[in-house]
Amino acid sequence: MFWDRFMLLTYSKGNWGRPIHGHARRVTYQKAPTMLRHKRIAISAFLACFYCVVALAQDQHSLTPEGFSFDGAWSCEGKFPSNGATHTSKYTGRTFESGAWVELDEVDIQPKGYVGHYVWQFDKKNNQIVSIDANRSGYTVYTSPGWNGNKLTFTSTAASSSPETVSRFIFETKDADQFTVTYEMSRNMSFVPGDSLICHKAK
């Protein structure tokens, strides 16, 4: 009887083990890994990585992050970091050509005067988003590798002004009804903020 109980403890349905100190005790066995389980784990890991890369690529190539749209009217308020002066403006956005283009118009309220027109499109050839900033002073071309989470950074690559000053726009979405936009200029090999706005969708 003792031998039978000993054998039950040491071998049961493919689970290997041995009794503690040679006594017939109830023990917990760990099933040995099999080649099939290893293959399943490897395939699952590969598919997870693949779908992450695809999702990231889709997110970067999109003109807007998932769940957000610039369409509609936006009320924006902020300050000029250089002097603390108040800056308010109105943004109006729309998408057209089945989402192939994003268009943003900016009209400053305080201080009055500046009107900006921005048009974005994804450049398939160079795998980047291109933005054209057109205003009465001329134009500037900006490029971005795409959205990094909820942040999009455009850096200037060409301008009608001479000499060209490198600048950038940083857009960051907070939720479906809010985004921030910061304008920065290159000074002494680093970027300094020119102004920053917090924009809320008009009700």
Side-chain angles (χ1 to χ4, degrees), residues 76-80 84-89 110 195-198:
C76 307
E77 185 173 346
K79 292 183 180 296
F80 293 99
T86 298
H87 178 200
T88 59
S89 68
Q110 182 182 352
D195 68 89
S196 182
L197 291 168
I198 300 174

Side-chain angles (χ1 to χ4, degrees), residues 171-182:
F171 289 85
E172 187 170 0
T173 62
K174 300 301 183 180
D175 53 48
D177 297 321
Q178 181 181 344
F179 73 90
T180 63
V181 53
T182 302

Side-chain angles (χ1 to χ4, degrees), residues 24-138:
R25 298 178 56 187
R26 183 177 179 180
V27 296
T28 301
Y29 302 99
Q30 183 177 3
K31 193 171 184 178
T34 64
M35 185 64 71
L36 180 59
R37 289 180 63 205
H38 281 302
K39 286 183 178 179
R40 286 176 178 172
I41 293 172
I43 292 171
S44 298
F46 171 78
L47 290 175
C49 292
F50 174 77
Y51 287 123
C52 285
V53 171
V54 170
L56 179 60
Q58 290 174 339
D59 189 47
Q60 289 178 325
H61 295 171
S62 177
L63 296 180
T64 56
E66 185 177 356
F68 182 86
S69 172
F70 285 104
D71 289 5
W74 302 81
S75 298
C76 307
E77 185 173 346
K79 292 183 180 296
F80 293 99
S82 58
N83 56 18
T86 298
H87 178 200
T88 59
S89 68
K90 296 285 188 182
Y91 268 79
T92 304
R94 74 184 184 102
T95 56
F96 54 98
E97 294 296 334
S98 300
W101 295 85
V102 167
E103 181 181 56
L104 289 171
D105 289 321
E106 178 188 7
V107 178
D108 277 2
I109 299 172
Q110 182 182 352
K112 293 183 179 180
Y114 179 78
V115 177
H117 183 68
Y118 316 99
V119 182
W120 306 353
Q121 189 187 47
F122 180 69
D123 177 5
K124 294 181 180 179
K125 180 179 179 181
N126 296 300
N127 199 37
Q128 62 186 359
I129 300 176
V130 177
S131 172
I132 299 175
D133 171 8
N135 54 61
R136 64 185 179 184
S137 299

Side-chain angles (χ1 to χ4, degrees), residues 154-194:
F154 280 115
T155 304
S156 64
T157 56
S160 57
S161 61
S162 182
E164 177 189 347
T165 299
V166 178
S167 59
R168 67 184 183 185
F169 280 98
I170 302 173
F171 289 85
E172 187 170 0
T173 62
K174 300 301 183 180
D175 53 48
D177 297 321
Q178 181 181 344
F179 73 90
T180 63
V181 53
T182 302
Y183 176 72
E184 299 180 339
M185 297 168 290
S186 178
R187 299 281 174 81
N188 299 321
M189 304 300 292
S190 63
F191 284 95
V192 296

Side-chain angles (χ1 to χ4, degrees), residues 127-152:
N127 199 37
Q128 62 186 359
I129 300 176
V130 177
S131 172
I132 299 175
D133 171 8
N135 54 61
R136 64 185 179 184
S137 299
Y139 70 87
T140 305
V141 178
Y142 294 85
T143 61
S144 172
W147 288 89
N148 182 12
N150 64 335
K151 184 180 290 186
L152 178 69

